[in-house]
Amino acid sequence: MAKWSDIVTLIKTIPPTEATNENGFAELPTEQSRSAFCNKKSVGYSEFYKSQQAGYKAELKIDVYSQDYEAEEIVEFGGKRYKVLRTYESRNGEFTELTLSDLAERSEADGEI
């Protein structure tokens, strides 16, 4: 039975309107965040290994109310940032399941850090 007692921060990145500022430096995207209630779930055995084969590590799954989710690509939960690997909307459309991967780990593997 779902408790819906956890809180997740959904983070949307907003690209800059201009590529550079008045001094010629690159403008960085801004973040817009908001909190929502969620239900924490574990990643299944099969899904964990399939994500590893694709070069990702599915670490966590959470359910959020579909009305709260606006296609955010970054999620913060338990003091850690995650990238949304996959979304799945329930049959009745009430919930959206988010499969998450550690954002810092993926960035290091891509050479972005």
Side-chain angles (χ1 to χ4, degrees):
M1 180 83 176
K3 293 189 295 182
W4 297 92
S5 60
D6 294 315
I7 295 180
V8 65
T9 303
L10 304 168
I11 302 168
K12 184 182 290 188
T13 55
I14 302 167
T17 54
E18 299 289 327
T20 58
N21 63 17
E22 63 275 357
N23 297 321
F25 293 103
E27 287 285 343
L28 299 174
T30 57
E31 291 184 346
Q32 183 179 17
S33 64
R34 57 199 174 76
S35 298
F37 284 103
C38 71
N39 183 37
K40 180 183 172 185
K41 299 164 60 175
S42 61
V43 175
Y45 177 83
S46 176
E47 189 169 19
F48 176 80
Y49 285 104
K50 285 180 182 178
S51 69
Q52 291 258 337
Q53 290 174 343
Y56 296 95
K57 184 178 178 186
E59 293 190 27
L60 179 67
K61 288 194 322 189
I62 59 171
D63 283 339
V64 294
Y65 290 104
S66 294
Q67 66 188 16
D68 290 337
Y69 184 66
E70 297 176 356
E72 289 88 353
E73 295 179 358
I74 300 173
V75 170
E76 190 170 307
F77 184 79
K80 214 171 154 182
R81 281 196 168 199
Y82 298 91
K83 177 175 178 49
V84 177
L85 291 178
R86 184 182 75 86
T87 62
Y88 174 78
E89 192 169 314
S90 64
R91 288 184 188 175
N92 64 6
E94 187 176 359
F95 311 113
T96 300
E97 178 185 84
L98 308 178
T99 303
L100 308 174
S101 175
D102 186 352
L103 185 62
E105 181 178 302
R106 186 65 188 161
S107 296
E108 289 171 5
D110 290 340
E112 295 177 11
I113 290 183

